[in-house]
mmCIF file of all heavy atoms in Angstrom:
data_model
loop_
_atom_site.group_PDB
_atom_site.id
_atom_site.type_symbol
_atom_site.label_atom_id
_atom_site.label_comp_id
_atom_site.label_asym_id
_atom_site.label_seq_id
_atom_site.Cartn_x
_atom_site.Cartn_y
_atom_site.Cartn_z
ATOM 1 N N MET A 148 106.349 101.553 91.294
ATOM 2 C CA MET A 148 105.544 101.544 90.070
ATOM 3 C C MET A 148 104.139 102.039 90.374
ATOM 4 O O MET A 148 103.485 102.644 89.544
ATOM 5 C CB MET A 148 105.494 100.131 89.493
ATOM 6 C CG MET A 148 106.785 99.740 88.808
ATOM 7 S SD MET A 148 106.680 98.115 88.041
ATOM 8 C CE MET A 148 106.783 97.046 89.470
ATOM 9 N N GLY A 306 104.090 93.557 93.610
ATOM 10 C CA GLY A 306 104.460 92.272 93.025
ATOM 11 C C GLY A 306 103.265 91.433 92.617
ATOM 12 O O GLY A 306 103.316 90.694 91.633
ATOM 13 N N LEU A 307 102.189 91.569 93.350
ATOM 14 C CA LEU A 307 101.002 90.752 93.089
ATOM 15 C C LEU A 307 100.211 91.227 91.870
ATOM 16 O O LEU A 307 99.369 90.512 91.349
ATOM 17 C CB LEU A 307 100.117 90.778 94.340
ATOM 18 C CG LEU A 307 99.152 89.630 94.598
ATOM 19 C CD1 LEU A 307 99.825 88.276 94.492
ATOM 20 C CD2 LEU A 307 98.522 89.789 95.967
ATOM 21 N N ARG A 308 100.501 92.461 91.444
ATOM 22 C CA ARG A 308 99.888 93.027 90.227
ATOM 23 C C ARG A 308 98.368 93.073 90.290
ATOM 24 O O ARG A 308 97.670 92.759 89.317
ATOM 25 C CB ARG A 308 100.362 92.275 88.984
ATOM 26 C CG ARG A 308 101.831 92.527 88.753
ATOM 27 C CD ARG A 308 102.431 91.561 87.776
ATOM 28 N NE ARG A 308 103.883 91.627 87.875
ATOM 29 C CZ ARG A 308 104.651 92.350 87.070
ATOM 30 N NH1 ARG A 308 104.138 93.069 86.114
ATOM 31 N NH2 ARG A 308 105.952 92.366 87.241
ATOM 32 N N VAL A 309 97.861 93.444 91.437
ATOM 33 C CA VAL A 309 96.413 93.647 91.547
ATOM 34 C C VAL A 309 96.113 95.087 91.941
ATOM 35 O O VAL A 309 94.993 95.426 92.309
ATOM 36 C CB VAL A 309 95.775 92.702 92.591
ATOM 37 C CG1 VAL A 309 95.885 91.261 92.137
ATOM 38 C CG2 VAL A 309 96.416 92.883 93.965
ATOM 39 N N MET A 310 97.132 95.943 91.845
ATOM 40 C CA MET A 310 96.982 97.320 92.300
ATOM 41 C C MET A 310 96.680 98.233 91.122
ATOM 42 O O MET A 310 97.227 98.077 90.045
ATOM 43 C CB MET A 310 98.296 97.783 92.928
ATOM 44 C CG MET A 310 98.819 96.838 93.969
ATOM 45 S SD MET A 310 98.289 97.330 95.568
ATOM 46 C CE MET A 310 99.314 98.750 95.751
ATOM 47 N N SER A 311 95.827 99.221 91.388
ATOM 48 C CA SER A 311 95.543 100.215 90.361
ATOM 49 C C SER A 311 96.604 101.310 90.402
ATOM 50 O O SER A 311 97.056 101.713 91.471
ATOM 51 C CB SER A 311 94.172 100.836 90.594
ATOM 52 O OG SER A 311 94.005 101.928 89.706
ATOM 53 N N LYS A 312 96.972 101.803 89.202
ATOM 54 C CA LYS A 312 97.917 102.920 89.139
ATOM 55 C C LYS A 312 97.201 104.259 89.186
ATOM 56 O O LYS A 312 97.821 105.305 89.318
ATOM 57 C CB LYS A 312 98.722 102.855 87.826
ATOM 58 C CG LYS A 312 99.736 101.739 87.819
ATOM 59 C CD LYS A 312 100.536 101.714 86.526
ATOM 60 C CE LYS A 312 101.619 100.661 86.651
ATOM 61 N NZ LYS A 312 102.342 100.403 85.426
ATOM 62 N N ARG A 322 86.905 99.544 86.717
ATOM 63 C CA ARG A 322 87.834 99.299 87.831
ATOM 64 C C ARG A 322 89.045 98.521 87.339
ATOM 65 O O ARG A 322 88.928 97.675 86.437
ATOM 66 C CB ARG A 322 87.121 98.527 88.953
ATOM 67 C CG ARG A 322 86.739 97.094 88.607
ATOM 68 C CD ARG A 322 85.845 96.489 89.678
ATOM 69 N NE ARG A 322 85.506 95.093 89.430
ATOM 70 C CZ ARG A 322 84.528 94.685 88.622
ATOM 71 N NH1 ARG A 322 83.784 95.572 87.968
ATOM 72 N NH2 ARG A 322 84.295 93.395 88.463
ATOM 73 N N ASN A 323 90.201 98.816 87.929
ATOM 74 C CA ASN A 323 91.398 98.071 87.510
ATOM 75 C C ASN A 323 92.309 97.736 88.681
ATOM 76 O O ASN A 323 93.509 97.599 88.516
ATOM 77 C CB ASN A 323 92.155 98.837 86.415
ATOM 78 C CG ASN A 323 92.671 100.171 86.907
ATOM 79 O OD1 ASN A 323 92.457 100.548 88.060
ATOM 80 N ND2 ASN A 323 93.364 100.895 86.048
ATOM 81 N N GLY A 324 91.742 97.609 89.865
ATOM 82 C CA GLY A 324 92.554 97.125 90.968
ATOM 83 C C GLY A 324 92.374 97.926 92.229
ATOM 84 O O GLY A 324 91.645 98.911 92.276
ATOM 85 N N ASP A 364 91.411 78.835 97.338
ATOM 86 C CA ASP A 364 92.607 79.381 96.717
ATOM 87 C C ASP A 364 93.274 80.379 97.667
ATOM 88 O O ASP A 364 92.608 81.000 98.488
ATOM 89 C CB ASP A 364 92.199 80.096 95.426
ATOM 90 C CG ASP A 364 93.389 80.493 94.575
ATOM 91 O OD1 ASP A 364 93.928 81.600 94.754
ATOM 92 O OD2 ASP A 364 93.779 79.669 93.717
ATOM 93 N N ILE A 365 94.596 80.550 97.536
ATOM 94 C CA ILE A 365 95.300 81.457 98.453
ATOM 95 C C ILE A 365 95.037 82.930 98.119
ATOM 96 O O ILE A 365 95.188 83.790 98.979
ATOM 97 C CB ILE A 365 96.808 81.139 98.531
ATOM 98 C CG1 ILE A 365 97.484 81.798 99.730
ATOM 99 C CG2 ILE A 365 97.516 81.511 97.247
ATOM 100 C CD1 ILE A 365 97.032 81.305 101.074
ATOM 101 N N VAL A 366 94.634 83.242 96.914
ATOM 102 C CA VAL A 366 94.271 84.636 96.624
ATOM 103 C C VAL A 366 92.858 84.824 96.060
ATOM 104 O O VAL A 366 92.183 85.798 96.400
ATOM 105 C CB VAL A 366 95.293 85.358 95.699
ATOM 106 C CG1 VAL A 366 96.584 85.616 96.444
ATOM 107 C CG2 VAL A 366 95.547 84.585 94.428
ATOM 108 N N ALA A 400 87.670 96.645 94.437
ATOM 109 C CA ALA A 400 87.856 97.153 93.069
ATOM 110 C C ALA A 400 88.796 96.295 92.229
ATOM 111 O O ALA A 400 89.302 96.735 91.203
ATOM 112 C CB ALA A 400 88.296 98.622 93.031
ATOM 113 N N THR A 401 89.037 95.050 92.664
ATOM 114 C CA THR A 401 89.642 94.104 91.722
ATOM 115 C C THR A 401 88.484 93.482 90.948
ATOM 116 O O THR A 401 87.343 93.429 91.430
ATOM 117 C CB THR A 401 90.445 92.983 92.417
ATOM 118 O OG1 THR A 401 89.572 92.200 93.222
ATOM 119 C CG2 THR A 401 91.566 93.558 93.283
ATOM 120 N N ALA A 402 88.799 93.029 89.734
ATOM 121 C CA ALA A 402 87.747 92.469 88.884
ATOM 122 C C ALA A 402 87.051 91.326 89.601
ATOM 123 O O ALA A 402 85.826 91.252 89.664
ATOM 124 C CB ALA A 402 88.359 91.991 87.569
ATOM 125 N N ILE A 403 87.840 90.442 90.197
ATOM 126 C CA ILE A 403 87.265 89.205 90.730
ATOM 127 C C ILE A 403 86.547 89.428 92.060
ATOM 128 O O ILE A 403 85.491 88.865 92.290
ATOM 129 C CB ILE A 403 88.331 88.094 90.805
ATOM 130 C CG1 ILE A 403 87.682 86.745 91.149
ATOM 131 C CG2 ILE A 403 89.433 88.427 91.787
ATOM 132 C CD1 ILE A 403 88.602 85.561 90.967
ATOM 133 N N ASP B 232 97.561 79.229 85.945
ATOM 134 C CA ASP B 232 96.531 80.151 86.405
ATOM 135 C C ASP B 232 97.120 81.555 86.581
ATOM 136 O O ASP B 232 98.301 81.784 86.291
ATOM 137 C CB ASP B 232 95.867 79.649 87.688
ATOM 138 C CG ASP B 232 96.848 79.571 88.852
ATOM 139 O OD1 ASP B 232 97.993 80.062 88.719
ATOM 140 O OD2 ASP B 232 96.467 79.014 89.896
ATOM 141 N N SER B 233 96.299 82.483 87.050
ATOM 142 C CA SER B 233 96.761 83.878 87.078
ATOM 143 C C SER B 233 97.942 84.064 88.029
ATOM 144 O O SER B 233 98.842 84.849 87.776
ATOM 145 C CB SER B 233 95.611 84.803 87.470
ATOM 146 O OG SER B 233 95.223 84.565 88.807
ATOM 147 N N LEU B 234 97.953 83.293 89.112
ATOM 148 C CA LEU B 234 99.060 83.398 90.062
ATOM 149 C C LEU B 234 100.364 82.913 89.415
ATOM 150 O O LEU B 234 101.417 83.523 89.551
ATOM 151 C CB LEU B 234 98.730 82.562 91.302
ATOM 152 C CG LEU B 234 99.290 83.022 92.633
ATOM 153 C CD1 LEU B 234 98.889 84.449 92.926
ATOM 154 C CD2 LEU B 234 98.803 82.101 93.750
ATOM 155 N N LEU B 236 100.984 82.898 86.254
ATOM 156 C CA LEU B 236 101.377 83.857 85.218
ATOM 157 C C LEU B 236 102.132 85.041 85.818
ATOM 158 O O LEU B 236 103.075 85.553 85.221
ATOM 159 C CB LEU B 236 100.140 84.351 84.466
ATOM 160 C CG LEU B 236 99.692 83.427 83.334
ATOM 161 C CD1 LEU B 236 98.356 83.904 82.778
ATOM 162 C CD2 LEU B 236 100.744 83.385 82.237
ATOM 163 N N VAL B 237 101.699 85.471 87.005
ATOM 164 C CA VAL B 237 102.422 86.559 87.676
ATOM 165 C C VAL B 237 103.874 86.132 87.933
ATOM 166 O O VAL B 237 104.804 86.910 87.758
ATOM 167 C CB VAL B 237 101.706 86.954 88.996
ATOM 168 C CG1 VAL B 237 102.603 87.836 89.844
ATOM 169 C CG2 VAL B 237 100.408 87.687 88.699
ATOM 170 N N GLU B 238 104.062 84.884 88.293
ATOM 171 C CA GLU B 238 105.428 84.395 88.523
ATOM 172 C C GLU B 238 106.218 84.298 87.222
ATOM 173 O O GLU B 238 107.413 84.576 87.198
ATOM 174 C CB GLU B 238 105.398 83.021 89.213
ATOM 175 C CG GLU B 238 104.967 83.112 90.662
ATOM 176 C CD GLU B 238 105.494 81.947 91.479
ATOM 177 O OE1 GLU B 238 106.721 81.853 91.676
ATOM 178 O OE2 GLU B 238 104.669 81.128 91.882
ATOM 179 N N VAL B 240 105.767 86.233 84.610
ATOM 180 C CA VAL B 240 106.098 87.617 84.249
ATOM 181 C C VAL B 240 107.285 88.108 85.080
ATOM 182 O O VAL B 240 108.221 88.724 84.568
ATOM 183 C CB VAL B 240 104.864 88.538 84.426
ATOM 184 C CG1 VAL B 240 105.264 90.002 84.324
ATOM 185 C CG2 VAL B 240 103.804 88.206 83.377
ATOM 186 N N PHE B 241 107.256 87.775 86.350
ATOM 187 C CA PHE B 241 108.371 88.159 87.236
ATOM 188 C C PHE B 241 109.679 87.523 86.761
ATOM 189 O O PHE B 241 110.716 88.188 86.680
ATOM 190 C CB PHE B 241 108.049 87.732 88.675
ATOM 191 C CG PHE B 241 109.183 87.927 89.638
ATOM 192 C CD1 PHE B 241 109.571 89.194 90.032
ATOM 193 C CD2 PHE B 241 109.867 86.827 90.143
ATOM 194 C CE1 PHE B 241 110.620 89.367 90.929
ATOM 195 C CE2 PHE B 241 110.921 86.994 91.037
ATOM 196 C CZ PHE B 241 111.293 88.270 91.431
ATOM 197 N N GLU B 244 110.917 89.332 83.723
ATOM 198 C CA GLU B 244 111.463 90.650 84.070
ATOM 199 C C GLU B 244 112.875 90.522 84.637
ATOM 200 O O GLU B 244 113.771 91.297 84.296
ATOM 201 C CB GLU B 244 110.548 91.344 85.094
ATOM 202 C CG GLU B 244 109.241 91.807 84.498
ATOM 203 C CD GLU B 244 108.324 92.507 85.505
ATOM 204 O OE1 GLU B 244 108.406 92.185 86.705
ATOM 205 O OE2 GLU B 244 107.547 93.374 85.085
ATOM 206 N N SER B 250 110.623 95.720 82.342
ATOM 207 C CA SER B 250 109.413 95.822 83.133
ATOM 208 C C SER B 250 108.232 95.495 82.231
ATOM 209 O O SER B 250 108.015 96.148 81.211
ATOM 210 C CB SER B 250 109.304 97.245 83.688
ATOM 211 O OG SER B 250 108.166 97.352 84.486
ATOM 212 N N VAL B 251 107.491 94.446 82.570
ATOM 213 C CA VAL B 251 106.391 93.986 81.723
ATOM 214 C C VAL B 251 105.067 94.572 82.225
ATOM 215 O O VAL B 251 104.701 94.350 83.379
ATOM 216 C CB VAL B 251 106.314 92.435 81.743
ATOM 217 C CG1 VAL B 251 105.129 91.953 80.914
ATOM 218 C CG2 VAL B 251 107.609 91.826 81.242
ATOM 219 N N PRO B 252 104.370 95.327 81.387
ATOM 220 C CA PRO B 252 103.104 95.936 81.837
ATOM 221 C C PRO B 252 101.974 94.916 81.883
ATOM 222 O O PRO B 252 101.167 94.816 80.972
ATOM 223 C CB PRO B 252 102.839 97.012 80.780
ATOM 224 C CG PRO B 252 103.492 96.495 79.543
ATOM 225 C CD PRO B 252 104.661 95.666 79.986
ATOM 226 N N TYR B 253 101.933 94.142 82.954
ATOM 227 C CA TYR B 253 100.936 93.079 83.070
ATOM 228 C C TYR B 253 100.134 93.265 84.340
ATOM 229 O O TYR B 253 100.696 93.372 85.429
ATOM 230 C CB TYR B 253 101.624 91.712 83.072
ATOM 231 C CG TYR B 253 100.689 90.570 83.358
ATOM 232 C CD1 TYR B 253 99.804 90.120 82.390
ATOM 233 C CD2 TYR B 253 100.684 89.946 84.605
ATOM 234 C CE1 TYR B 253 98.922 89.080 82.647
ATOM 235 C CE2 TYR B 253 99.812 88.898 84.876
ATOM 236 C CZ TYR B 253 98.940 88.472 83.891
ATOM 237 O OH TYR B 253 98.078 87.450 84.167
ATOM 238 N N ASN B 254 98.817 93.356 84.224
ATOM 239 C CA ASN B 254 97.923 93.521 85.371
ATOM 240 C C ASN B 254 97.125 92.231 85.559
ATOM 241 O O ASN B 254 96.254 91.906 84.759
ATOM 242 C CB ASN B 254 96.987 94.716 85.122
ATOM 243 C CG ASN B 254 96.058 94.975 86.302
ATOM 244 O OD1 ASN B 254 95.933 94.153 87.212
ATOM 245 N ND2 ASN B 254 95.397 96.125 86.277
ATOM 246 N N ALA B 255 97.428 91.495 86.627
ATOM 247 C CA ALA B 255 96.775 90.208 86.865
ATOM 248 C C ALA B 255 95.282 90.373 87.082
ATOM 249 O O ALA B 255 94.494 89.462 86.853
ATOM 250 C CB ALA B 255 97.393 89.535 88.089
ATOM 251 N N ASN B 256 94.928 91.555 87.550
ATOM 252 C CA ASN B 256 93.539 91.858 87.853
ATOM 253 C C ASN B 256 92.689 91.928 86.585
ATOM 254 O O ASN B 256 91.526 91.602 86.585
ATOM 255 C CB ASN B 256 93.547 93.185 88.619
ATOM 256 C CG ASN B 256 92.197 93.787 88.734
ATOM 257 O OD1 ASN B 256 91.322 93.218 89.343
ATOM 258 N ND2 ASN B 256 92.022 94.951 88.133
ATOM 259 N N ASP B 257 93.320 92.327 85.479
ATOM 260 C CA ASP B 257 92.574 92.497 84.238
ATOM 261 C C ASP B 257 93.510 92.296 83.049
ATOM 262 O O ASP B 257 93.872 93.236 82.358
ATOM 263 C CB ASP B 257 91.967 93.914 84.208
ATOM 264 C CG ASP B 257 90.966 94.055 83.083
ATOM 265 O OD1 ASP B 257 90.643 93.041 82.428
ATOM 266 O OD2 ASP B 257 90.512 95.184 82.840
ATOM 267 N N SER B 260 93.111 93.898 79.463
ATOM 268 C CA SER B 260 93.196 95.337 79.229
ATOM 269 C C SER B 260 94.634 95.848 79.189
ATOM 270 O O SER B 260 94.885 96.997 78.897
ATOM 271 C CB SER B 260 92.424 96.089 80.313
ATOM 272 O OG SER B 260 93.207 96.143 81.489
#
Side-chain angles (χ1 to χ4, degrees):
Chain A
M148 285 184 285
L307 205 50
R308 292 165 195 263
V309 294
M310 309 266 288
S311 172
K312 288 181 174 172
R322 68 189 183 277
N323 63 359
D364 190 271
I365 195 66
V366 289
T401 63
I403 189 168
Chain B
D232 64 9
S233 67
L234 211 55
L236 276 172
V237 167
E238 288 205 67
V240 169
F241 173 71
E244 288 180 331
S250 182
V251 177
Y253 173 75
N254 182 347
N256 167 64
D257 191 7
S260 79

